Amino acid sequence: MLVTGAGGQLGHALAEVFPEADARTRDELDVTRPLDVEPPPDVVLHAAAWTDVDGAEADPEGAAAVNVAGTRNVVGLGAPVLYFSSDYVFDGSKGEPYLESDVPMPVSVYGRTKLDGEREVESGWIVRSSWLFGATGHNFVRTMLRLGAERDEVAVVDDQRGSPTFVGHLAVAAKDVLELAFGTYHVAADGDCTWAEFAEAIFEEAGLRCGVRRITTAELGRPAPRPACSVLRSELPQTPRLPHWREGLRACLDRLS
Ligand SMILES: NC(=O)c1ccc[n+]([C@@H]2O[C@H](COP(=O)([O-])OP(=O)(O)OC[C@H]3O[C@@H](n4cnc5c(N)ncnc54)[C@H](OP(=O)(O)O)[C@@H]3O)[C@@H](O)[C@H]2O)c1
């Protein structure tokens, strides 16, 4: 088993859950280069990606080189691929959770490259998840813990809704996905919240006395548009179900302490 992007937050969790895997960081396996992996893998857990959503707007070719051409290279290894995709393949206007049968309609460059990457996977599993966080890497939980310790109040967006998913839970679910037929599966934490609600939960669980000032996406003014509601649910009974996001948050905080 080969894990790509092992230096990232999900790749790190996958390497823990699959200790027998050949887990490679970007330095050890750059997916944009011609790939020659020995021994050839039987299956690839493809967690490497360009994940800088705002940066992709400024460099669409760079994002596509990793998320689309890079995925093509990984598929070219000849083994089935578990490709991790994103809630950002949807435009967020449905107003209720997105199911596997919903038609993707990305609004950002990042979302488009993740969708184009899905289309490169001929034999494999597409696992769409959302709002990932873990004890390593850059993520919202770690940022809020830092800001919450420094400030009395932080301004956080309250008009985007999703399901914050702990990478440890997603990595365990990947084991179950490998037992399923090839196809697309929505695997995200149970429950949903806005970023502001998530920040309040982080401060509460971590015992930080920091207030949350609720702002709009427009006020924040980030370069990439984001879906207003990108909650994912599965309509397929065989899809693994994840714990509630608050349980994921507690598991992550336990790891951090
Ligand atoms: N983060 C989220 O909220 C979220 C939500 C839904 C789905 N996903 C998907 O889940 C997967 C894992 O995301 P994550 O949150 O773990 O992201 P991450 O922490 O940013 O990890 C991605 C990893 O890919 C590496 N990478 C970038 N370019 C590469 C290349 N050319 N070759 C090999 N590795 C490369 C990065 O290395 P460097 O750090 O050195 O660049 C990084 O270690 C991605 O497919 C992402 O699209 C993420």
Side-chain angles (χ1 to χ4, degrees), residues 4-14 24-33 35 46-53 62 65-67 70 83-88 110 114 127-134 136-139 165 167 170 195 232:
T4 69
Q9 51 175 349
L10 176 59
H12 205 268
L14 289 168
R24 308 247 192 134
T25 63
R26 180 187 196 149
D27 285 348
E28 294 160 339
L29 189 80
D30 182 336
V31 298
T32 62
R33 306 241 166 104
L35 303 184
H46 180 33
W50 176 301
T51 56
D52 177 357
V53 176
V66 182
N67 294 349
Y83 172 86
F84 291 94
S85 191
S86 168
D87 52 332
Y88 284 13
Y110 168 75
K114 290 301 293 180
V127 169
R128 295 194 187 122
S129 195
S130 69
W131 294 22
L132 298 188
F133 64 93
T136 65
H138 298 288
N139 62 61
T165 301
V167 288
L170 180 58
W195 290 111
L232 299 176

Side-chain angles (χ1 to χ4, degrees), residues 66-132:
V66 182
N67 294 349
V68 189
T71 301
R72 192 176 311 139
N73 289 341
V74 169
V75 167
L77 291 170
V81 173
L82 194 168
Y83 172 86
F84 291 94
S85 191
S86 168
D87 52 332
Y88 284 13
V89 300
F90 294 110
D91 68 8
S93 66
K94 185 181 175 193
E96 52 185 287
Y98 283 97
L99 306 173
E100 288 89 348
S101 57
D102 286 317
V103 178
M105 197 81 70
V107 291
S108 65
V109 170
Y110 168 75
R112 274 196 292 280
T113 62
K114 290 301 293 180
L115 181 60
D116 288 345
E118 289 186 5
R119 291 171 176 158
E120 295 292 336
V121 180
E122 291 151 12
S123 302
W125 308 263
I126 311 287
V127 169
R128 295 194 187 122
S129 195
S130 69
W131 294 22
L132 298 188

Side-chain angles (χ1 to χ4, degrees), residues 15 31 36 42 67 71 92 114 116 128 147 152 159 191 200 205 216 224 226 235 249 252:
V31 298
D36 181 18
D42 295 322
N67 294 349
T71 301
K114 290 301 293 180
D116 288 345
R128 295 194 187 122
L147 295 179
D152 295 333
D159 58 0
E200 282 169 349
E205 296 288 345
T216 64
R226 283 156 169 86
E235 61 199 321
L249 172 58
C252 180

